[in-house]
Each structure stands twice: as C-alpha cells, then as structure tokens.
Amino acid sequence: QVQLMESGGGLVQAGGSLTLSCLASGRIVSSDINFMGWYRQVPGNQREMVARISRGGFTDYADVVKGRFTISRDNAKVSLEMNNLRPEDTAKYYCKIETKTTPFQIARDYWGQGTQVTVSS
C-alpha cells in the first residue's frame, strides 16, 4: 500500500503564492523513486507536467511556470513553491512519483488524488 499525501492547495489572488507538498508513505523506499513531480489538469483538458525533480536533484519545468515555480525534494517528500500565480494556473494539481525497476519490483507510477488551486483575478 502506497499513499501520496497532498496538501497546500487553496484559493489565492493573482500575484500571490502557494506551496504544495506531497509525502509518499507506505510500502515504498525513497531511494527507489526516480522522479517526484507535480502535474495539473483543467476540466476538459489533458493533464500536463508542471515540474518534476529526480533523485539526483535535477529539475524539469513547464515553460509557462519557469521562473515562478520551484520544486524541491527531501527523501519521499516533494514541495512546489508557486509564486506570482496567474488565473491560468488554476487547475487541480496532482502529485506523482515514478519508481525505478529493482530486483524486487517493476517500475511504476503512483498518483495522488489531487488538490485544487484556484487563482482569482
């Protein structure tokens, strides 16, 4: 059993900030995680990658959030600092972890249930 505990979503004014956090727990070892990241989805749209971070600390950001969002990782916890938020950032944000194949398991993805971020103008 693996759980992703998400927190930090909410309602903010344009230009404001929020920090999302996600903690993986259960039958998982942090060293087996290749990537942790955040994705977002607006109803009717495809889910898209916002930011992700590798176990080595390398980061990848969607172009529309570069310079505004910062992702960080501490073992099995990943955080996303979101600054200068825009109304178009409004979406449901999902935490995802990507594990690697080991002698004991095949690589797979785990998803959180999502947390809503709403940016008002």
Side-chain angles (χ1 to χ4, degrees):
Q1 186 85 301
V2 175
Q3 289 184 313
L4 301 183
M5 306 296 292
E6 301 161 316
S7 62
L11 173 65
V12 296
Q13 296 282 332
S17 300
L18 282 175
T19 298
L20 305 181
S21 296
C22 175
L23 176 63
S25 62
R27 292 182 56 83
I28 190 168
V29 179
S30 62
S31 61
D32 289 340
I33 300 173
N34 273 343
F35 288 90
M36 299 188 76
W38 288 93
Y39 295 68
R40 67 187 184 188
Q41 186 171 28
V42 177
N45 286 20
Q46 188 175 14
R47 190 172 298 183
E48 62 184 16
M49 192 272 290
V50 178
R52 66 178 186 172
I53 185 168
S54 74
R55 55 178 159 172
F58 294 98
T59 58
D60 188 18
Y61 295 93
D63 288 341
V64 294
V65 308
K66 287 181 179 177
R68 300 188 296 121
F69 292 9
T70 301
I71 192 168
S72 61
R73 177 183 174 182
D74 182 11
N75 292 319
K77 182 179 180 180
V78 62
S79 298
L80 184 68
E81 296 182 5
M82 304 184 293
N83 300 306
N84 193 24
L85 284 162
R86 307 165 180 169
E88 52 263 43
D89 293 318
T90 296
K92 194 168 187 178
Y93 285 69
Y94 297 86
C95 177
K96 188 182 86 169
I97 62 173
E98 305 170 18
T99 64
K100 65 181 180 67
T101 297
T102 73
F104 307 102
Q105 63 198 16
I106 299 173
R108 64 160 293 174
D109 297 340
Y110 296 91
W111 290 91
Q113 64 182 351
T115 183
Q116 180 68 33
V117 171
T118 302
V119 184
S120 64
S121 59

